[in-house]
Amino acid sequence: MGRRLSLLLLLLYWAQASAKPPTPLLWQVSDEDNSIYLLGSFHMLKAEDYPLADPVNKAFDEADKVYFEVPPDELNDGARVQSLMKTGMIAGGETLEQSLRPKTWHRLQSYCEANGLPLDTFQTMKPWLAALTIASLETVKAGYLPDLGLDKHYMEMAAIAHKETAGLESLSQQFNVFDRMEPKEQELFLNQTLKDMQNPRQLHELHQHWRNGDADGLMQLLRQDTVNEIPEFYRRLNSERNRAWLPQIAAFLKENREGSALVVVGSLHLLGDEGLIELLRRQGFRTVRVQ
Protein backbone atom coordinates (compact mmCIF):
# COMPACT_ATOMS: atom_id res chain seq x y z
CA MET A 1 0.00 0.00 0.00
CA GLY A 2 2.82 2.39 0.93
CA ARG A 3 4.69 1.78 -2.36
CA ARG A 4 1.46 2.24 -4.35
CA LEU A 5 0.74 5.57 -2.59
CA SER A 6 4.31 6.76 -3.16
CA LEU A 7 4.07 5.89 -6.85
CA LEU A 8 0.75 7.75 -7.14
CA LEU A 9 2.22 10.84 -5.49
CA LEU A 10 5.23 10.66 -7.80
CA LEU A 11 2.97 10.47 -10.87
CA LEU A 12 0.89 13.42 -9.66
CA TYR A 13 4.05 15.45 -9.05
CA TRP A 14 5.41 14.55 -12.49
CA ALA A 15 2.12 15.49 -14.18
CA GLN A 16 2.10 18.88 -12.44
CA ALA A 17 5.79 19.54 -13.07
CA SER A 18 5.56 18.59 -16.75
CA ALA A 19 2.41 20.61 -17.47
CA LYS A 20 3.02 23.25 -20.09
CA PRO A 21 3.03 26.76 -18.58
CA PRO A 22 0.39 29.14 -19.96
CA THR A 23 1.48 31.06 -23.05
CA PRO A 24 -1.08 33.89 -23.24
CA LEU A 25 -1.27 36.33 -26.13
CA LEU A 26 1.81 38.55 -26.16
CA TRP A 27 2.98 41.07 -28.75
CA GLN A 28 6.00 43.32 -28.96
CA VAL A 29 5.24 46.67 -30.57
CA SER A 30 8.18 48.93 -31.39
CA ASP A 31 9.49 52.01 -33.21
CA GLU A 32 13.07 53.09 -33.84
CA ASP A 33 13.89 53.81 -30.18
CA ASN A 34 12.07 51.42 -27.88
CA SER A 35 9.30 48.88 -27.54
CA ILE A 36 6.23 48.02 -25.57
CA TYR A 37 4.72 44.60 -24.80
CA LEU A 38 0.97 43.99 -24.91
CA LEU A 39 -0.25 41.02 -22.88
CA GLY A 40 -3.74 39.49 -23.07
CA SER A 41 -5.20 39.01 -19.62
CA PHE A 42 -7.68 36.56 -18.13
CA HIS A 43 -9.19 38.42 -15.18
CA MET A 44 -9.82 35.34 -12.97
CA LEU A 45 -7.45 32.36 -12.91
CA LYS A 46 -6.42 29.25 -10.97
CA ALA A 47 -3.31 28.60 -8.88
CA GLU A 48 -2.10 26.06 -11.45
CA ASP A 49 -1.93 28.82 -14.07
CA TYR A 50 1.32 29.96 -12.49
CA PRO A 51 4.15 30.25 -13.28
CA LEU A 52 3.61 31.65 -16.76
CA ALA A 53 5.80 30.91 -19.78
CA ASP A 54 9.26 32.49 -19.70
CA PRO A 55 8.66 35.08 -22.48
CA VAL A 56 5.79 36.59 -20.48
CA ASN A 57 7.87 36.90 -17.32
CA LYS A 58 10.74 38.30 -19.38
CA ALA A 59 8.46 41.00 -20.81
CA PHE A 60 7.53 42.02 -17.27
CA ASP A 61 11.15 41.99 -16.10
CA GLU A 62 12.22 44.24 -18.98
CA ALA A 63 9.40 46.75 -18.47
CA ASP A 64 10.14 50.03 -16.72
CA LYS A 65 6.42 50.81 -16.54
CA VAL A 66 3.33 48.61 -16.36
CA TYR A 67 -0.05 49.78 -17.69
CA PHE A 68 -3.35 48.21 -16.65
CA GLU A 69 -6.93 48.94 -17.68
CA VAL A 70 -7.45 50.69 -14.33
CA PRO A 71 -4.77 52.14 -12.02
CA PRO A 72 -3.89 49.70 -9.22
CA ASP A 73 -4.39 52.43 -6.60
CA GLU A 74 -8.01 52.88 -7.66
CA LEU A 75 -8.72 49.17 -7.89
CA ASN A 76 -7.29 48.60 -4.41
CA ASP A 77 -9.29 51.45 -2.88
CA GLY A 78 -12.19 49.57 -1.29
CA ALA A 79 -14.13 52.72 -0.39
CA ARG A 80 -13.88 54.01 -3.96
CA VAL A 81 -15.02 50.69 -5.42
CA GLN A 82 -18.00 50.54 -3.05
CA SER A 83 -18.96 54.11 -3.92
CA LEU A 84 -18.89 53.37 -7.65
CA MET A 85 -20.90 50.18 -7.13
CA LYS A 86 -23.80 52.45 -6.21
CA THR A 87 -24.06 53.43 -9.89
CA GLY A 88 -25.34 49.90 -10.46
CA MET A 89 -28.13 50.22 -7.91
CA ILE A 90 -31.71 51.21 -8.78
CA ALA A 91 -32.77 54.56 -7.33
CA GLY A 92 -36.21 55.84 -6.44
CA GLY A 93 -37.61 52.77 -4.75
CA GLU A 94 -38.12 50.78 -7.96
CA THR A 95 -37.09 47.13 -8.23
CA LEU A 96 -35.32 44.92 -10.72
CA GLU A 97 -38.52 42.95 -11.22
CA GLN A 98 -40.29 46.10 -12.39
CA SER A 99 -37.60 46.81 -14.99
CA LEU A 100 -37.64 43.34 -16.57
CA ARG A 101 -40.05 41.42 -18.74
CA PRO A 102 -41.80 38.58 -16.84
CA LYS A 103 -39.90 35.95 -18.85
CA THR A 104 -36.52 37.40 -17.82
CA TRP A 105 -37.59 37.76 -14.20
CA HIS A 106 -38.76 34.13 -14.08
CA ARG A 107 -35.44 33.06 -15.56
CA LEU A 108 -33.63 34.92 -12.77
CA GLN A 109 -35.98 33.36 -10.21
CA SER A 110 -35.15 29.88 -11.51
CA TYR A 111 -31.43 30.66 -11.34
CA CYS A 112 -31.69 31.78 -7.71
CA GLU A 113 -33.77 28.76 -6.72
CA ALA A 114 -31.35 26.35 -8.40
CA ASN A 115 -28.35 27.92 -6.68
CA GLY A 116 -29.82 28.62 -3.26
CA LEU A 117 -29.54 32.41 -3.62
CA PRO A 118 -32.04 34.87 -2.11
CA LEU A 119 -33.85 36.63 -4.93
CA ASP A 120 -34.00 39.83 -2.86
CA THR A 121 -30.25 40.15 -3.29
CA PHE A 122 -30.84 41.30 -6.86
CA GLN A 123 -33.98 43.42 -6.39
CA THR A 124 -32.10 46.70 -5.95
CA MET A 125 -29.59 46.05 -8.76
CA LYS A 126 -29.77 47.35 -12.30
CA PRO A 127 -29.79 44.47 -14.81
CA TRP A 128 -26.15 45.05 -15.82
CA LEU A 129 -24.92 44.77 -12.23
CA ALA A 130 -27.06 41.67 -11.67
CA ALA A 131 -25.47 40.14 -14.78
CA LEU A 132 -21.92 40.96 -13.63
CA THR A 133 -22.67 39.59 -10.15
CA ILE A 134 -23.97 36.30 -11.56
CA ALA A 135 -21.00 36.00 -13.92
CA SER A 136 -18.59 36.56 -11.03
CA LEU A 137 -20.38 34.03 -8.78
CA GLU A 138 -20.38 31.35 -11.48
CA THR A 139 -16.77 31.98 -12.47
CA VAL A 140 -15.65 31.51 -8.85
CA LYS A 141 -17.83 28.40 -8.58
CA ALA A 142 -16.01 27.00 -11.63
CA GLY A 143 -12.69 27.38 -9.80
CA TYR A 144 -11.41 30.75 -11.07
CA LEU A 145 -10.52 33.43 -8.53
CA PRO A 146 -10.20 37.22 -8.98
CA ASP A 147 -7.20 37.38 -6.64
CA LEU A 148 -5.36 35.07 -9.06
CA GLY A 149 -6.24 37.04 -12.19
CA LEU A 150 -3.38 38.09 -14.43
CA ASP A 151 -3.99 41.79 -13.77
CA LYS A 152 -3.89 41.25 -10.01
CA HIS A 153 -0.77 39.10 -10.30
CA TYR A 154 1.22 41.74 -12.15
CA MET A 155 -0.09 44.55 -9.96
CA GLU A 156 1.39 42.73 -6.98
CA MET A 157 4.60 41.93 -8.86
CA ALA A 158 4.96 45.56 -9.94
CA ALA A 159 4.57 46.72 -6.34
CA ILE A 160 7.23 44.27 -5.16
CA ALA A 161 9.62 45.33 -7.94
CA HIS A 162 8.85 49.06 -7.37
CA LYS A 163 7.87 49.50 -11.01
CA GLU A 164 5.89 52.53 -12.11
CA THR A 165 2.24 51.70 -12.86
CA ALA A 166 -0.59 53.51 -14.62
CA GLY A 167 -4.15 52.95 -15.80
CA LEU A 168 -5.47 53.45 -19.32
CA GLU A 169 -8.81 54.59 -17.90
CA SER A 170 -10.34 55.41 -14.54
CA LEU A 171 -12.52 53.02 -12.57
CA SER A 172 -15.46 55.38 -12.99
CA GLN A 173 -15.00 55.31 -16.78
CA GLN A 174 -15.05 51.51 -16.70
CA PHE A 175 -18.28 51.45 -14.66
CA ASN A 176 -19.79 54.01 -17.01
CA VAL A 177 -19.41 51.63 -19.97
CA PHE A 178 -22.02 49.41 -18.35
CA ASP A 179 -24.18 52.16 -16.87
CA ARG A 180 -24.58 53.77 -20.32
CA MET A 181 -26.40 50.69 -21.58
CA GLU A 182 -29.97 51.22 -22.69
CA PRO A 183 -32.61 49.30 -20.65
CA LYS A 184 -33.14 46.88 -23.55
CA GLU A 185 -29.38 46.24 -23.79
CA GLN A 186 -29.17 45.62 -20.06
CA GLU A 187 -31.92 43.03 -20.18
CA LEU A 188 -30.29 41.30 -23.15
CA PHE A 189 -27.01 41.31 -21.24
CA LEU A 190 -28.66 39.71 -18.20
CA ASN A 191 -30.44 37.11 -20.32
CA GLN A 192 -27.23 36.24 -22.16
CA THR A 193 -25.35 35.89 -18.86
CA LEU A 194 -27.99 33.60 -17.39
CA LYS A 195 -27.84 31.48 -20.53
CA ASP A 196 -24.04 31.31 -20.67
CA MET A 197 -23.64 30.52 -16.98
CA GLN A 198 -25.89 27.45 -17.12
CA ASN A 199 -22.89 25.43 -18.25
CA PRO A 200 -19.27 26.28 -17.39
CA ARG A 201 -18.04 24.51 -20.53
CA GLN A 202 -17.63 27.75 -22.47
CA LEU A 203 -15.69 29.32 -19.61
CA HIS A 204 -13.32 26.34 -19.48
CA GLU A 205 -12.89 26.54 -23.27
CA LEU A 206 -12.05 30.25 -23.01
CA HIS A 207 -9.53 29.48 -20.29
CA GLN A 208 -7.89 26.78 -22.38
CA HIS A 209 -7.68 29.06 -25.42
CA TRP A 210 -6.09 31.71 -23.18
CA ARG A 211 -3.55 29.23 -21.79
CA ASN A 212 -2.60 28.17 -25.32
CA GLY A 213 -2.47 31.70 -26.74
CA ASP A 214 -5.11 30.65 -29.28
CA ALA A 215 -6.16 33.98 -30.80
CA ASP A 216 -8.68 32.49 -33.23
CA GLY A 217 -10.34 30.36 -30.56
CA LEU A 218 -10.58 33.28 -28.16
CA MET A 219 -11.99 35.59 -30.81
CA GLN A 220 -14.66 33.14 -31.84
CA LEU A 221 -15.89 32.44 -28.31
CA LEU A 222 -15.61 35.97 -26.94
CA ARG A 223 -17.45 37.61 -29.81
CA GLN A 224 -20.14 35.13 -30.74
CA ASP A 225 -22.82 36.27 -28.30
CA THR A 226 -22.06 39.89 -27.45
CA VAL A 227 -21.51 41.02 -31.02
CA ASN A 228 -24.63 39.36 -32.37
CA GLU A 229 -27.01 40.20 -29.52
CA ILE A 230 -25.78 43.62 -28.32
CA PRO A 231 -23.58 45.14 -31.06
CA GLU A 232 -23.67 48.73 -29.74
CA PHE A 233 -22.63 47.61 -26.27
CA TYR A 234 -19.80 45.56 -27.76
CA ARG A 235 -18.62 48.61 -29.68
CA ARG A 236 -18.51 50.69 -26.47
CA LEU A 237 -16.98 47.86 -24.43
CA ASN A 238 -14.21 47.07 -26.88
CA SER A 239 -13.70 49.30 -29.92
CA GLU A 240 -14.33 52.69 -28.28
CA ARG A 241 -12.10 51.89 -25.32
CA ASN A 242 -9.32 50.61 -27.58
CA ARG A 243 -9.33 53.90 -29.48
CA ALA A 244 -9.37 55.87 -26.22
CA TRP A 245 -6.32 53.93 -24.95
CA LEU A 246 -4.39 54.13 -28.20
CA PRO A 247 -2.92 57.67 -27.75
CA GLN A 248 -1.42 56.75 -24.37
CA ILE A 249 0.30 53.67 -25.74
CA ALA A 250 1.49 55.45 -28.88
CA ALA A 251 2.77 58.39 -26.80
CA PHE A 252 5.02 56.08 -24.76
CA LEU A 253 6.55 54.72 -27.94
CA LYS A 254 6.98 58.13 -29.54
CA GLU A 255 8.22 60.09 -26.53
CA ASN A 256 10.51 57.60 -24.80
CA ARG A 257 13.97 57.12 -26.23
CA GLU A 258 14.86 54.03 -24.22
CA GLY A 259 13.26 51.42 -22.00
CA SER A 260 10.07 49.47 -22.49
CA ALA A 261 6.63 49.04 -20.95
CA LEU A 262 4.13 46.23 -20.44
CA VAL A 263 0.41 46.74 -21.13
CA VAL A 264 -1.90 44.19 -19.46
CA VAL A 265 -5.48 44.28 -20.79
CA GLY A 266 -8.28 41.81 -21.48
CA SER A 267 -7.35 39.51 -24.35
CA LEU A 268 -10.21 40.66 -26.60
CA HIS A 269 -8.75 44.18 -26.66
CA LEU A 270 -5.77 42.89 -28.63
CA LEU A 271 -7.67 41.04 -31.34
CA GLY A 272 -9.43 41.83 -34.59
CA ASP A 273 -9.55 44.81 -36.93
CA GLU A 274 -10.41 47.14 -34.04
CA GLY A 275 -7.93 45.53 -31.63
CA LEU A 276 -4.96 47.43 -30.21
CA ILE A 277 -2.43 45.44 -32.23
CA GLU A 278 -4.02 46.29 -35.56
CA LEU A 279 -4.62 49.92 -34.55
CA LEU A 280 -0.95 50.33 -33.62
CA ARG A 281 0.17 48.63 -36.83
CA ARG A 282 -1.89 51.12 -38.83
CA GLN A 283 -0.03 53.93 -37.10
CA GLY A 284 3.24 52.59 -38.47
CA PHE A 285 4.56 50.67 -35.48
CA ARG A 286 6.15 47.24 -35.91
CA THR A 287 4.07 44.47 -34.32
CA VAL A 288 5.53 41.02 -33.65
CA ARG A 289 3.75 38.15 -31.91
CA VAL A 290 5.97 36.71 -29.16
CA GLN A 291 5.54 32.94 -29.23
Side-chain angles (χ1 to χ4, degrees):
M1 179 66 179
R3 288 182 61 189
R4 188 182 303 168
L5 181 60
S6 297
L7 179 59
L8 177 60
L9 290 172
L10 182 61
L11 288 171
L12 288 171
Y13 172 79
W14 176 84
Q16 184 176 17
S18 62
K20 180 184 175 184
T23 55
L25 299 172
L26 179 66
W27 273 268
Q28 184 178 27
V29 181
S30 56
D31 61 6
E32 299 80 13
D33 304 306
N34 64 346
S35 63
I36 192 167
Y37 290 94
L38 285 92
L39 175 62
S41 176
F42 206 87
H43 299 308
M44 300 171 79
L45 289 172
K46 301 180 177 183
E48 54 263 37
D49 290 318
Y50 298 96
L52 300 166
D54 289 340
V56 182
N57 292 318
K58 183 182 178 183
F60 171 79
D61 292 339
E62 290 180 1
D64 301 304
K65 186 174 183 177
V66 187
Y67 291 87
F68 300 95
E69 293 183 22
V70 173
D73 290 347
E74 286 193 25
L75 205 59
N76 294 327
D77 185 344
R80 183 176 180 81
V81 172
Q82 286 300 315
S83 177
L84 286 170
M85 287 288 286
K86 293 177 183 177
T87 63
M89 308 305 287
I90 299 173
E94 295 184 5
T95 65
L96 178 61
E97 182 178 5
Q98 292 171 331
S99 67
L100 299 176
R101 293 176 300 168
K103 184 177 181 180
T104 305
W105 177 250
H106 291 320
R107 180 175 286 178
L108 179 60
Q109 278 184 311
S110 298
Y111 169 80
C112 289
E113 290 171 2
N115 290 276
L117 295 172
L119 191 60
D120 286 347
T121 301
F122 297 97
Q123 275 286 30
T124 56
M125 294 182 185
K126 294 177 182 177
W128 68 261
L129 182 58
L132 291 181
T133 301
I134 290 167
S136 180
L137 288 170
E138 291 301 313
T139 304
V140 170
K141 190 192 298 184
Y144 304 91
L145 302 177
D147 284 346
L148 295 176
L150 199 65
D151 320 71
K152 184 76 170 178
H153 171 73
Y154 278 121
M155 285 179 185
E156 293 173 352
M157 293 291 289
I160 292 170
H162 302 290
K163 291 182 183 285
E164 182 184 357
T165 60
L168 296 169
E169 65 187 4
S170 68
L171 194 57
S172 61
Q173 286 175 311
Q174 194 168 87
F175 271 79
N176 191 46
V177 173
F178 293 94
D179 207 42
R180 285 169 55 200
M181 297 174 76
E182 297 292 334
K184 182 179 179 181
E185 291 179 326
Q186 291 194 40
E187 185 161 358
L188 283 169
F189 184 43
L190 176 56
N191 264 310
Q192 194 64 58
T193 301
L194 287 166
K195 174 186 171 185
D196 290 344
M197 293 301 145
Q198 286 180 345
N199 188 340
R201 179 184 60 82
Q202 187 181 68
L203 180 60
H204 295 317
E205 287 180 6
L206 274 174
H207 177 242
Q208 196 59 46
H209 289 318
W210 173 83
R211 280 187 62 100
N212 295 335
D214 181 358
D216 292 338
L218 277 171
M219 192 72 168
Q220 183 177 354
L221 279 175
L222 286 168
R223 293 189 61 182
Q224 63 184 11
D225 291 330
T226 312
V227 175
N228 294 331
E229 297 291 334
I230 327 174
E232 282 302 305
F233 171 61
Y234 172 79
R235 180 180 58 78
R236 294 193 300 271
L237 182 68
N238 193 65
S239 306
E240 283 189 6
R241 292 167 74 206
N242 289 347
R243 291 189 176 276
W245 298 345
L246 187 63
Q248 299 176 67
I249 299 171
F252 181 92
L253 286 163
K254 292 174 181 177
E255 296 169 7
N256 284 268
R257 293 293 174 262
E258 59 183 24
S260 69
L262 175 67
V263 177
V264 185
V265 295
S267 297
L268 184 58
H269 290 289
L270 304 182
L271 304 174
D273 292 338
E274 291 297 311
L276 285 169
I277 303 304
E278 178 60 21
L279 293 177
L280 286 162
R281 189 192 65 78
R282 289 179 203 162
Q283 289 201 359
F285 296 107
R286 293 188 298 275
T287 61
V288 179
R289 173 83 184 270
V290 180
Q291 299 292 344

